Every structure is written in C-alpha cells, then in structure tokens.
Amino acid sequence: MPPRSDEPRRDPTGSRRGSSRGAEPREPGVGGISDARAYTPRGRTIREGGAEQRRTPRSSRSGDPFRPALQVVDGGRATRAGRREPATAGESGRAGRRTAGGRAGVVRTVSTRPVHEPFDDEDDPPPRRRPGPRRPAARRPVRKPRRPPRLGDPRRRLRLATVLALTLFASIGVRLVYLQMADSPAYADGGLPNRIAVVELPAPRGAILDRTGEPLAHSVEARYVFADPTRVKDRFATARALSPLLGVPASELADRMRRSKRPGTDIDLQFVYLARGVEIGTAKQIMALDLAGIGTHRDERREVPGGDLAANMIGFVSQDMNGLEGLEAKYDDVLRGQAGKRTYEVGLGDLAAPIPGGYSSTTQPKPGSSLQLTIDRDLQFMTQRILAKQVAQAKGSVAAAVILDVPTGEVLAQASQPTYDAADPAKVNSPADRDDAATSFVVDPGSIHKAITYGAALQEGVITPDTTFPVANTVVLGGVPFEDTHHANGRVMSIPGMLAFSSNIATIEIADKLGKDRLIDYQKRFGLGQPTGEGLPGEASGRLLPADEWSGSSYGSVPIGHSVDATPLQMAAAYNAIANNGTYVQPHLVKETIGPDGKGTPSAAPATRSVLSPANAADLRRMLEAVTTVDGPDGRATGLAAAVPGYRVAGKTGTGLRYDNGKKQPGEVGSFIGMAPAEKPRYVVAVFVWSPGGEGGAVAAPAFREMMGFTLRHYRVPPSLTDKSPKFEVFPR
C-alpha cells in the first residue's frame, strides 16, 4: 500500500475526506461517514425510506426493471437489490451542479468504502499511488451515460427453435425414407429366412394305360399330412392321436416331429411329412382333431385297379411317388413330372399363418406324362388266370407267358407266376415274387432251340424240307452220351418227323454239317445273347457259348438247346421271326407317350432284321406243324396237347434246365412256343414252367392251348381250313 499522506484528502469543496477530527460541527444528515451510511442511495434515511415504502401503495412499490440502468445514467451505482449506490462527495457535488439533468434537491451521501456488488463492475480499481508528495486530486472526466442493455427478442428465439425442430424432423424423415426405399430390401431379407414356410405342390404322376386307353395304374387325389415342429406343443401326445389314423407307430411320428435345423443352416425346419397318400376322409378326421402344428394338403395316391394285373411288369412306386420296380422305375422320369413349390411368409408363435401382402412365391407343378402300353388288359387278365390255374398243379413252380403280335412285335400279354398286388407290394413271400419272369427267368431252352438249328440249316442249304437220313438211337461226344426218347433204331426219318419226335441225334448231325460258327451266327440273328430292349428294367441278356470255349460235348449240347442261356421273351421273339416270314422284330411294350396336354408321341419304331427268307420261314413253319399233328402207329408227337381245335398250330416243345446266379436248380423247365394260324400266323404264344419236381412239361402245352385259343377268339381270327393241313410221314419208305 502507498504511504498515507499526513495531509488529509479534500474534496473539491475544500473539506477533508476520511476524517472528522478538527472539522466543524455539522447538522445531522449532512456530511460525515456515519450520516452517509444512514441514508439510502436516494438520499433518505433507512427509517425514512421504510416509512415511505409503508406509505407507498403496493402496486407502485414494485420497482421498474430498468431502474438500475436509469440510476447508472443518473450518476449512481446499481446495487444487487436494484437500489442506487451513493456516489462520492465529488460526484455528489457534480450531481448538485447537474440538477438540470438529474433530480433536483437530492443530497448525495458519500461512503468512505464503496460497496461493490457482484454486478458492480463498471469502475476499475484505483491505481496504486507511488510514494511522494500528494497532488491535489484531479477532477474526473464526466462519463457518458451508458445505454441500457439490449434484451432478447422472444420472436427470434421462437423462430430459431422452430427451425431447429423442423431440421430435426426433416433429418428423421429423410432417414426413414432412405430405410424404406433404399435399405428396406436388405433389412427385410435379413429376417426373411425365419419367417419363410415352404410347401411342396406335388405334380400328378402320369398313368400307365393299356392299348385301348384303360388304366393299369393311375393316380387319384389324396392328402398328405405334415407337421411344423416349431408349432407342435406336445409331439408325443400328438403322435399318439395320429397313430391310429395314419397306421404309423407313434414313436416314429414323434421322432419326425422333433425340432431340427434345415440342412446347412441355423433356421428351424418348419415342414416334415408324416404320411403320404392319405384318403380324403381320413384327412378330414385329422383336421377335426385341431392339433397344433399339424396340417394336410393335396396329394395323390397310386392305384392299380387290377390289383395283380400285370403287376410284375408294371411295378410299383414309393409313398413319395418314385418308381421302384418295373415300368414305374424304368420310365420314372417320364411319369413323375416336376413338383411345384409354394414359399410364403408366416407369422411367429400363435400367428403362424400367411402374412397378407408378405413375400409369396409359387411354382406351379408340371404333371407327368402317361404311358400307353401294347398290353391288352382283357388278354392279360386271361393269360394270368390260365397260367395260375395250370401252375397250381406244380407246387413251388415259377412260370412265365408271353403273347406277341406277329407283324408288329407288340407284347399283348406278359404274365408271371407267382405274382403280387402292386397296390400293396410289401405282402409277398419273397422279393423274387415281384420279378418279371419273362425277362429275368434265365433257362437252358432245351428242345425249343432246335427250331433255330433247323432254320439256320434251311437258310444255309444244309437241308431241305424233303431231306431224310437214318437216325441212330445214341451218340457220344466228348465222352458224353446223347440219346433220343423216341428211338428210331437207325431208320430213315424225315425232317418233320425229326421235329415231331424231337430227335436229339438228328439235330446234332444237322448242326455238325452246319458248323459251330454259322450256328452261333444264327443264334445272334434270332436275338439270343443280348437283351431284347423290350422296355423293362433289369432284363437279362442270356449268354451264348463262344466258339473258342466249345468242348467236345458242346457239339452235342449246343444244337439241342443246352449250354445256352436265354429268357422266355428272347425265345418268343425268335419264333416270332419264323412266324413273320423270317424277319425279326424287336418286341416292345410301350406304344406311345401321352403328354399332359393329351398329345401322343409314338415310340421309336422297333428294330428289325432279316433272318430267314420268306420261303424258308414258310417251310420251317410247315415242318413245325408236325409237332402238334403227328399221331400214328409210329408214335405220337410231343406237342399234341398244344393243338387248338379249328386252327393250324406250328410250334415246339422243350425241356430245359434253370440256372439261378449261375447255379443249376433242381427239376426241369417245361416249355412250349407256337404260332397260329400256321398258314398265316397272327400271334405267338410262349409258355415256360419250372418246377422242382419236373412237372413243367405236362403243364406248358395245355396252358399254351388255352391261351392261344382265347387270343384267336378274342381278336376274332377266322378258323383255319383243315382240308389244307399238311400230312406228314415220319419214316418215309
């Protein structure tokens, strides 16, 4: 602090400041610090001010909000309570002289220690004085009155707040529009897999029809039962309720309804099949139970109207309508069609229903095509009935029958015994009962093979219809003896007589003149050693003994139909070539394919080739008639039981062996293959019967007679003219 001056400070009037010593007495209220403190900023004492406030009405007592500013303008200081602070003595004097601009008659008191309020910042602190002689106080310059503070405009604040709010809402709106228009597919797709349900729309399977358009197998409307595992509340209770209606064990149904994920994803599986092909009435009962997570939808079921009619040939399908055997399996891609699919959004929990306006996509199913076969349903039925009746005489037997249309090679009937109900394929004694014996039954054809040997010899000029030579009773080749059942005892026999009595020795001698190479060549021309390509899956090809594998005994066994593997269908096709003037026609089952639009597409034309000349084929047919007609003092032909009254029949009996997986089976295979009318054949019928006891020979010929007789009557073939039937002499003189 600067040193205090010994001379008291004086105000402009000459009076000393800060001390009352040595001063003249003053009137109360004039001068003096204590007196100044007793006055209010407006020159009133506190008591006077209080009294005046009490006298002033309350309405006028509230101060003017701008009063502190006005007091500053008047020369005083604004206090915290809005009162004016007293000015200094100098300022009071100046204020007295400024009565014209201030308030007249107001005595301003001076405080020795100015009171600084928080808002009193207009005066800077006085500078510190340096030690030295004190100079008279200079007169302060007169300050310009300060302008009152500028107050805020509420309208501007309102405008600013409005602009900020609108900007905020505009930003939110722009973001919402962007999410809805630009990013909405991405956000929607992100949760879409959890809401997607997929329902398969099965495609109707094509029918299998006979040659007249009658159904052998077709699909009918049904229902399938499905479950949504995410909605099933109690899978065990649900399974117990469904088991009696579906015929499926409850444990299996409960296992199907267990929650699981879609393969390769973390998404819950929402669709599983519980049963297929359920009858519509049963489906209604299931829906009446109102089980959570259980539903039904349109499906189909395969029906076979004939039960076992052509079952071994047609085959059957699975519950999913996939072909498993027979024609159903061979032509599965044609019959099955393409299933459709419906994909849609569903809600979650109790709202598991399609969402209106949600994602939905439907691929319509494409029905499968139908197959029209060459089979005649009525003829097939009678063929199966006759075969079953005849085979009943030979227990434990396996039999096959084939009926061919000669000019076209179409299969009119193809029966197997035993058979089964294609509508319930599980009810069989053995899976082999479902096999088609005509294409899978591999046998040593036996004597029916002799027609091939004689046909090759005729075509190659080794023999003629008039050829005769002496026939011995036995011959030994490679250490193996061969003999005849009808002993000729060295007598001269005719070619028809050799066929009528089925002479092994005569056939071996003719084959020896023909040679093994040419015999093998004709075997192939007649269709042996390779599948016919009829149309059934799993058709056996048979086997021919190559020339380099022949042994000494092969020269005796091969010509008479041993050491040769063939199927009934292959042998029937070989005889059909003889009946068709020497032209081989590939046997076939499928006539045409009918698309969903009803338009038919014929099957490819069957393969054909010439084997015999028409003349040689006619001569061979005439010689084969001896098998069903020769009956005299020299003996009876082997095929008299196959004769059809009123018709000329050419054919041949056979006794062969059966092989299963390369192993010879006990018993024998009896067979008969023939054609009628022999003068101009229309149909070929082949019958093969294997029995462990060897009774097949006694069954095959009678079965042929009944089948051929019905076929000729069914197609109204006129009877033959008996007066033109040939007369045969077995032992010409």
Side-chain angles (χ1 to χ4, degrees):
M1 295 256 327
R4 300 177 57 91
S5 174
D6 294 335
E7 185 177 353
R9 287 178 293 177
R10 299 177 180 271
D11 58 11
T13 60
S15 61
R16 288 182 299 182
R17 299 175 55 187
S19 176
S20 60
R21 285 181 298 187
E24 294 180 4
R26 296 173 182 168
E27 294 182 8
V30 178
I33 297 174
S34 58
D35 294 338
R37 291 178 178 174
Y39 281 84
T40 64
R42 292 187 178 270
R44 296 181 181 90
T45 64
I46 298 175
R47 184 178 295 110
E48 291 174 347
E52 185 177 348
Q53 287 181 352
R54 285 193 300 268
R55 290 193 304 267
T56 303
R58 183 176 299 272
S59 58
S60 61
R61 202 180 293 171
S62 59
D64 187 353
F66 299 108
R67 177 61 56 190
L70 296 176
Q71 290 175 350
V72 172
V73 174
D74 291 341
R77 289 194 180 99
T79 65
R80 181 181 303 177
R83 297 188 302 269
R84 188 165 57 94
E85 184 179 356
T88 60
E91 292 173 344
S92 175
R94 290 192 301 271
R97 289 191 298 269
R98 289 197 311 268
T99 55
R103 289 180 178 168
V106 178
V107 179
R108 304 186 184 275
T109 61
V110 179
S111 175
T112 59
R113 187 176 182 180
V115 178
H116 288 273
E117 295 293 336
F119 301 103
D120 190 11
D121 57 352
E122 64 272 16
D123 290 338
D124 294 332
R128 293 183 178 181
R129 300 179 178 270
R130 298 184 174 221
R134 184 182 180 94
R135 290 178 301 179
R139 186 175 181 178
R140 290 187 176 182
V142 180
R143 293 185 179 182
K144 295 182 179 180
R146 293 190 177 185
R147 298 178 59 184
R150 184 177 181 181
L151 301 181
D153 189 351
R155 290 177 297 177
R156 293 181 61 191
R157 289 197 295 268
L158 180 60
R159 292 192 192 100
L160 179 60
T162 302
V163 171
L164 292 177
L166 291 177
T167 303
L168 176 63
F169 282 111
S171 301
I172 296 174
V174 170
R175 180 59 178 167
L176 290 176
V177 171
Y178 181 78
L179 291 176
Q180 291 291 330
M181 301 298 294
D183 288 350
S184 61
Y187 284 101
D189 292 345
L192 188 61
N194 296 325
R195 304 189 304 273
I196 286 296
V198 180
V199 177
E200 182 176 337
L201 304 178
R205 188 176 180 86
I208 298 179
L209 313 172
D210 81 333
R211 65 186 303 111
T212 63
E214 295 295 331
L216 298 174
H218 65 106
S219 297
V220 296
E221 184 177 355
R223 297 290 183 270
Y224 65 77
V225 181
F226 67 93
D228 182 350
T230 62
R231 297 181 55 211
V232 175
K233 296 180 179 179
D234 187 343
R235 61 190 178 97
F236 296 103
T238 303
R240 287 192 295 270
L242 294 176
S243 180
L245 296 173
L246 299 180
V248 180
S251 59
E252 182 178 344
L253 292 175
D255 185 66
R256 294 181 186 178
M257 288 184 282
R258 179 183 287 110
R259 287 200 174 194
S260 60
K261 302 292 184 180
R262 295 182 188 176
T265 67
D266 293 332
I267 302 172
D268 289 332
L269 188 64
Q270 295 179 303
F271 180 89
V272 290
Y273 282 115
L274 298 183
R276 299 292 304 271
V278 178
E279 292 185 359
I280 297 177
T282 303
K284 290 181 178 179
Q285 296 180 34
I286 292 174
M287 294 306 296
L289 297 177
D290 194 21
L291 300 172
I294 304 300
T296 63
H297 202 272
R298 186 187 181 280
D299 197 13
E300 59 178 332
R301 183 179 68 254
R302 200 67 166 171
E303 282 197 353
V304 184
D308 63 352
L309 186 67
N312 300 71
M313 180 174 49
I314 293 174
F316 59 92
V317 299
S318 66
Q319 279 193 337
D320 295 331
M321 305 302 287
N322 295 321
L324 298 180
E325 287 190 12
L327 294 174
E328 295 276 20
K330 175 74 173 181
Y331 295 94
D332 184 61
D333 56 341
V334 177
L335 295 168
R336 182 175 53 198
Q338 297 180 6
K341 183 173 65 175
R342 182 189 176 201
T343 305
Y344 57 93
E345 278 187 272
V346 295
L348 300 178
D350 296 335
L351 300 177
I355 298 177
Y359 175 81
S360 179
S361 175
T362 302
T363 302
Q364 295 297 334
K366 297 180 180 180
S369 300
S370 298
L371 293 180
Q372 186 169 18
L373 306 183
T374 59
I375 296 294
D376 185 321
R377 186 178 64 168
D378 295 335
L379 184 58
Q380 178 74 25
F381 173 78
M382 286 302 300
T383 302
Q384 288 187 209
R385 181 177 179 182
I386 294 169
L387 188 64
K389 181 182 69 174
Q390 294 293 337
V391 168
Q393 305 174 28
K395 295 182 179 180
S397 58
V398 177
V402 179
I403 300 178
L404 298 178
D405 182 74
V406 171
T408 63
E410 294 176 348
V411 180
L412 302 177
Q414 186 166 303
S416 299
Q417 189 64 34
T419 186
Y420 70 101
D421 184 356
D424 192 4
K427 291 184 178 180
V428 292
N429 296 326
S430 170
D433 294 347
R434 297 194 296 256
D435 293 341
D436 180 72
T439 58
S440 63
F441 191 34
V442 179
V443 301
D444 267 2
S447 294
I448 56 175
H449 181 274
K450 292 174 182 176
I452 295 176
T453 303
Y454 282 81
L458 282 172
Q459 188 68 21
E460 294 297 322
V462 174
I463 61 173
T464 66
D466 301 327
T467 298
T468 60
F469 55 87
V471 179
N473 293 336
T474 62
V475 64
V476 178
L477 296 173
V480 178
F482 297 90
E483 62 180 356
D484 287 339
T485 55
H486 293 76
H487 292 164
N489 297 322
R491 289 183 295 175
V492 175
M493 294 184 67
S494 65
I495 299 297
M498 297 173 189
L499 289 171
F501 293 163
S502 191
S503 174
N504 293 329
I505 306 303
T507 304
I508 292 172
E509 186 174 343
I510 292 173
D512 184 63
K513 295 178 180 178
L514 180 64
K516 64 178 181 180
D517 293 328
R518 288 193 289 182
L519 178 58
I520 294 172
D521 180 54
Y522 275 89
Q523 286 177 325
K524 294 178 180 179
R525 292 188 187 184
F526 275 104
L528 303 186
Q530 57 186 354
T532 63
E534 176 197 34
L536 283 176
E539 181 183 1
S541 61
R543 182 177 183 273
L544 297 176
L545 188 64
D548 57 355
E549 296 182 13
W550 280 39
S551 64
S553 62
S554 300
Y555 290 88
S557 61
V558 173
I560 63 176
H562 297 290
S563 299
V564 177
D565 296 337
T567 64
L569 181 62
Q570 287 174 326
M571 295 307 302
Y575 273 72
N576 193 78
I578 299 172
N580 194 35
N581 291 323
T583 301
Y584 178 89
V585 181
Q586 178 189 16
H588 54 281
L589 276 170
V590 181
K591 190 177 183 69
E592 65 178 356
T593 301
I594 302 175
D597 56 357
K599 296 182 179 179
T601 303
S603 299
T608 60
R609 57 179 175 270
S610 177
V611 181
L612 303 175
S613 66
N616 288 328
D619 289 339
L620 183 56
R621 289 197 301 270
R622 190 176 302 107
M623 292 187 292
L624 288 172
E625 285 188 67
V627 177
T628 60
T629 58
V630 172
D631 186 8
D634 296 324
R636 302 183 62 185
T638 59
L640 291 177
V644 179
Y647 295 90
R648 293 168 57 184
V649 177
K652 187 69 184 73
T653 59
T655 302
L657 301 173
R658 181 191 178 191
Y659 290 88
D660 188 7
N661 294 326
K663 296 182 179 180
K664 179 182 176 182
Q665 301 300 306
E668 294 178 343
V669 178
S671 58
F672 189 94
I673 303 180
M675 59 201 74
E679 67 275 15
K680 188 177 181 181
R682 293 279 307 275
Y683 307 103
V684 168
V685 176
V687 180
F688 286 72
V689 181
W690 170 81
S691 64
E695 302 91 354
V699 173
F704 168 88
R705 180 181 67 243
E706 291 189 48
M707 293 178 191
M708 180 61 81
F710 179 82
T711 303
L712 294 171
R713 293 189 299 271
H714 179 66
Y715 291 111
R716 300 180 181 180
V717 177
S720 300
L721 300 175
T722 56
D723 57 345
K724 291 186 178 181
S725 300
K727 303 299 180 181
F728 300 102
E729 187 175 5
V730 178
F731 299 104
R733 293 178 175 81

